Amino acid sequence: MRYPDVVVVGAGVIGAACAEALSAAGLRVTVLDRGPLGAGTSAAGEGNVLVSDKEPGPELDLALASLGRWPDLLAELGADVEWDPKGGLVVATGDTALTAFAEAQRAAGVDARPITPAEAFDLEPHLTRAVVAAVHYPQDAQLQPVLVTKALLAAVRRRGGTLRPGVRALGVRLANGAVAAVRTDDGDVPCGAVVIACGPWSGEVSTAFGAPITVLPRRGVILVTAPLPPGTVRHKVYDADYVGAVASGDADLQVSTVVESTAGGTVLIGSSRERVGFDASLRVEVPRALARRAVGLFPVLADVQVLRAYGGFRPYAPDHLPVIGPDPRCPGLWHATGHEGAGIGLAAATGRLLAELVTGVEPHVDARPFRVDRPGVCA
Amino acid sequence: MRVVVVGGGPAGLAAADAAARAGAEVVLVDSERQLGGQYHRGTAQRADPRVRHLPESTAWAAEGLRLHVRTGPADSPHRTGRVLDADAVVLATGAHDRVVPFPGWDLPGVYTAGAAQALAKGHGVAVGRRVVVSGTGPFLLPVASSLLDVGATVTVLEANGVTGWARHPLAVPQKLPELARYARLLGRVRLRTAVVAAHGDDRVTSVTVARLRPDWTVCDGVRVAVDAVCVGHGFTPRLDLAVGLGCDLVDGFVRVDAVGATSVRGVYAAGEITGIGGADLAAAEGEVAGAAAARAPDPPIAALRAIRRGRRFAAALAAAHPVPTGRHGWLTPDTLLCRCEEVTVGDLHAALDRGAADGRTLKLVSRAGLGPCQGRTCGREVADLAAARLGHPLPDADAFHRRPFATPLRLGELAQHPEEDP
Ligand SMILES: Cc1cc2nc3c(=O)[nH]c(=O)nc-3n(C[C@H](O)[C@H](O)[C@H](O)COP(=O)(O)OP(=O)(O)OC[C@H]3O[C@@H](n4cnc5c(N)ncnc54)[C@H](O)[C@@H]3O)c2cc1C
Ligand SMILES: Cc1cc2nc3c(=O)[nH]c(=O)nc-3n(C[C@H](O)[C@H](O)[C@H](O)COP(=O)(O)OP(=O)(O)OC[C@H]3O[C@@H](n4cnc5c(N)ncnc54)[C@H](O)[C@@H]3O)c2cc1C
């Protein structure tokens, strides 16, 4: 057996996207996951690919790059992953900085269109009439995270890569101070480089690899309703508070509502943000707050049944930016994590950026804001 | 000291009474209008007068020892909400029929044994004139008996080869007098035989009755005309609240100690969520758990003894009525598995072949278990079929009964703060 050039630890959407881009660049890749493939955080959220919620800055740049990359990447993969550029609508019912925010986004290259409440009701007939301001974001899209992760991994395998579910990485073996092999519970895997893409577990795994970075879990819960007639909810509809919650680091419960319907007619209501470690027990106040906001946006939803709630733990760095790049402490060790509530959307550009850095190609986005050795990340 | 009991079947009733006798303030929450659960359906039971009974009330979520309850008819838009804080909780939520799919099981005219029983006992209605009762386990007989009582012609097919389970040395007939009453039925029982397919256009008109090998693979079959089929393969425990609270499970049931304590402090469990063994065992378990939850000084000795006996009998019954994997051979690619999302056996296999190897992914890729019943009906069989095809059990077998909301509720109800209720 030939040794892989790169071992990717973690088969979530980020590990899968990195492995796909590395294999497309001609490298021989092995992907390990301690569990089944793609069953971590990437199977526990929604598949929003958003620009509407991002303020101008490095994450928005990465999001725009990713948004541009997804359609081509999906065409290359030849897989149906339920890609739907359905567009988003941010609405506000009170005093708001919404239009100023949209103005700044437009300057940064986002298609953000302030519209009147009447125009918003045309787009969403069941929207609460309390809306006083709205912005339409035609670029917002979605895809199915589980399917996309599988499609990326399938491409890796087609190119001769190896997928090893059920194999846990335990640490690294060094030779002359550089990565020589990944230690696993199924023996050593010799390699030239390793990418840690373990989502909210990247902190613990990087520590085991002797190069700790700070990545923390931020819990999120999503509600799913019974199916509604087609056309009840047509776009992704957010209340304007979404923007504030995404950027904030408060430990307290934050809720910002995103209401949208799926192909099957069920409505997804996401999502909450709590810093409670990896505690997954139910706190009724969380789904209650989501339900309140959703009924506030769409009063017709009051009568629909809630089928279930699910959720997971978003991986975030203290400064809320992704961590993508080489670890300066250990040649051959790379990180790709910290995508918080946007890892699905950001995966396409993340994979490409990491592969560019590994192979020494000029990066298509500025990589410096995501470097590993920034304050608070590299302990 | 406040004890909240969830479920008003034999186990919950006995728990509430025992806790009240021990001096606790007791609230008994039951989703039905009348107390009694599965077994006493149609003949309302009464709790100890000191017990505060909340009828038509479902506990839809448990947050530690705080229960969230809604009261009112299940389909009413005007249910009221309430929060109950307890010092101890007894879960006695019972079980529902285990569904084992076969070609045509989704046709009108095919009933679960429990549904047929409820119609016969509760409403005096027979599901058809010529009825085949098929499956395995002792509870086929009470169903057949109720059907006879309301005038149906009944044939009972027991898929296993057990004959004398009622006379099993471990059986304690005086503790299950009902079972002895069914002696009149024993002549109508055909062993190692089952309905393996139902046929008809808009409702069942005939079935394939097959002789089975011990592993339930088919030897040969014949077509038989029928009006209705009742199928029973034992029970699946209603674990939503227990799993939500983090109670450990063992063999698919809530793990309890000798007095019904679960692995979670202050949470007790009794009845069919801890194992299937009939109404008397459920009641004995309830009595012991209720007394323990209320910190009664003396454990009820007679009930403890009844539990030991009952569990031995239950274990013997379970051993005599397995549901082996030969049944998978009855399925065709277009047999429906998940009724809510219309997922067939072929769809499930396709999802597995696309690489879904855990419960969560399997649900998302195949959509099985994502509909209104949330896998309550199909989850167990989906997990079994997946395990058979993968060659190993799903790593997250609880994916099909991890449901944060134990019962459906409206978004508007969830949004309401209980203190805003009238
Ligand atoms: C409620 C919620 C809603 C969300 N909604 C969206 C959304 O709409 N749009 C969006 O873009 N993003 C969304 N996200 C965020 C998105 O899900 C994450 O950013 C993304 O899934 C992170 O992917 P990942 O590959 O980094 O992590 P993961 O998917 O968690 O993958 C990490 C993998 O590493 C494996 N692993 C861990 N330790 C080891 C080890 N020692 N050895 C081997 N393998 C190991 C794990 O098993 C896991 O499979 C949401 C998240 C949540 C929780
Ligand atoms: C067709 C059939 C025939 C049977 N025949 C016999 C027989 O002949 N002899 C015998 O000994 N046993 C028989 N049994 C078994 C017997 O019915 C059970 O052993 C017994 O009812 C179990 O008692 P339980 O209290 O555990 O659960 P159950 O009787 O099922 O009671 C559970 C109660 O909890 C309620 N509940 C569940 N979840 C919630 C919630 N979240 N909030 C509020 N309420 C909730 C349910 O509505 C129900 O009222 C039969 C069962 C069936 C289905």
Side-chain angles (χ1 to χ4, degrees), chain A residues 2-256:
Chain A
R2 272 182 56 196
Y3 298 138
D5 301 312
V6 185
V7 171
V8 176
V9 182
V13 73
I14 296 297
C18 291
E20 190 282 331
L22 289 165
S23 68
L27 295 175
R28 180 173 287 265
V29 181
T30 291
V31 183
L32 313 178
D33 200 295
R34 64 175 178 197
L37 303 172
T41 319
S42 301
E46 292 178 270
N48 293 312
V49 179
L50 304 188
V51 290
S52 56
D53 63 337
K54 297 182 179 65
E55 61 189 354
E59 198 192 352
L60 178 58
D61 296 342
L62 193 65
L64 284 166
S66 224
L67 187 67
R69 173 72 183 134
W70 273 121
D72 295 341
L73 178 56
L74 295 177
E76 285 163 37
L77 297 177
D80 177 11
V81 301
E82 300 176 9
W83 171 260
D84 184 2
K86 56 159 64 162
L89 188 63
V90 180
V91 300
T93 53
D95 211 25
T96 166
L98 189 55
T99 35
F101 187 71
E103 197 60 49
Q105 287 177 309
R106 251 207 324 276
V110 175
D111 184 0
R113 306 178 185 175
I115 56 174
T116 63
E119 287 170 320
F121 304 144
D122 279 347
L123 291 175
E124 289 293 346
H126 294 285
L127 194 60
T128 171
R129 300 294 130 158
V131 163
V132 297
V135 181
H136 183 209
Y137 291 88
Q139 290 167 305
D140 279 359
Q142 73 188 40
L143 44 69
Q144 220 286 15
V146 172
L147 296 181
V148 85
T149 306
K150 296 245 173 284
L152 291 163
L153 293 172
V156 173
R157 187 161 33 195
R158 275 199 305 276
R159 296 179 190 133
T162 306
L163 309 179
R164 298 184 61 186
V167 176
R168 180 189 292 268
L170 303 173
V172 70
R173 277 195 209 294
L174 305 178
N176 303 323
V179 169
V182 175
R183 287 194 300 115
T184 79
D185 59 2
D186 193 27
D188 285 4
V189 185
C191 57
V194 57
V195 182
I196 302 179
C198 290
W201 302 281
S202 267
E204 124 199 354
V205 175
S206 61
T207 304
F209 276 58
I213 59 169
T214 305
V215 178
L216 301 162
R218 200 171 182 197
R219 185 172 180 202
V221 172
I222 296 165
L223 296 178
V224 186
T225 73
L228 283 162
T232 310
V233 177
R234 302 175 180 183
H235 301 77
K236 299 171 176 300
V237 181
Y238 334 94
D239 65 18
D241 301 344
Y242 188 74
V243 177
V246 173
S248 158
D250 283 359
D252 290 335
L253 167 63
Q254 291 170 358
V255 177
S256 50

Side-chain angles (χ1 to χ4, degrees), chain B residues 6-13 29-32 34 36-41 57-60 92-95 97 113-114 117 121 139 142-143 175-176 178-179 182 235 238 241 270-273 276-280 282-283 406-407:
Chain B
V6 185
L13 258 173
V29 183
D30 186 50
S31 49
E32 300 300 312
Q34 295 185 333
Q38 287 271 17
Y39 180 57
H40 296 293
R41 187 136 293 160
S57 299
T58 55
W60 57 269
T93 48
D97 290 87
Q117 172 86 331
K121 255 175 124 172
F139 299 123
V143 178
K175 278 286 145 192
L176 280 152
E178 318 78 4
L179 296 179
Y182 305 127
F235 303 93
R238 282 196 202 93
L241 289 174
E272 308 241 276
I273 59 167
I276 305 297
D280 291 341
T407 60

Side-chain angles (χ1 to χ4, degrees), chain B residues 99 105 337-339 368-369 373 375-383 400:
Chain B
V99 171
W105 71 283
L337 275 180
C338 166
R339 259 191 307 210
C373 92
R376 288 178 175 90
T377 303
C378 69
R380 187 162 170 183
E381 199 66 3
V382 167
F400 287 95

Side-chain angles (χ1 to χ4, degrees), chain A residues 249-328:
Chain A
D250 283 359
D252 290 335
L253 167 63
Q254 291 170 358
V255 177
S256 50
T257 333
V258 183
V259 180
E260 67 172 305
S261 54
T262 64
T266 56
V267 170
L268 300 185
I269 301 162
S271 54
S272 54
R273 286 162 194 272
E274 290 172 88
R275 290 198 301 181
V276 290
F278 283 108
D279 179 359
S281 56
L282 175 73
R283 284 206 293 147
V284 166
E285 81 178 276
V286 178
R288 172 163 291 145
L290 285 171
R292 246 167 208 268
R293 297 291 195 93
V295 171
L297 281 178
F298 288 97
V300 300
L301 292 180
D303 280 335
V304 70
Q305 283 200 336
V306 189
L307 287 185
R308 64 200 176 98
Y310 70 100
F313 299 92
R314 304 179 186 86
Y316 78 96
D319 58 5
H320 299 279
L321 282 179
V323 180
I324 307 165
D327 192 305

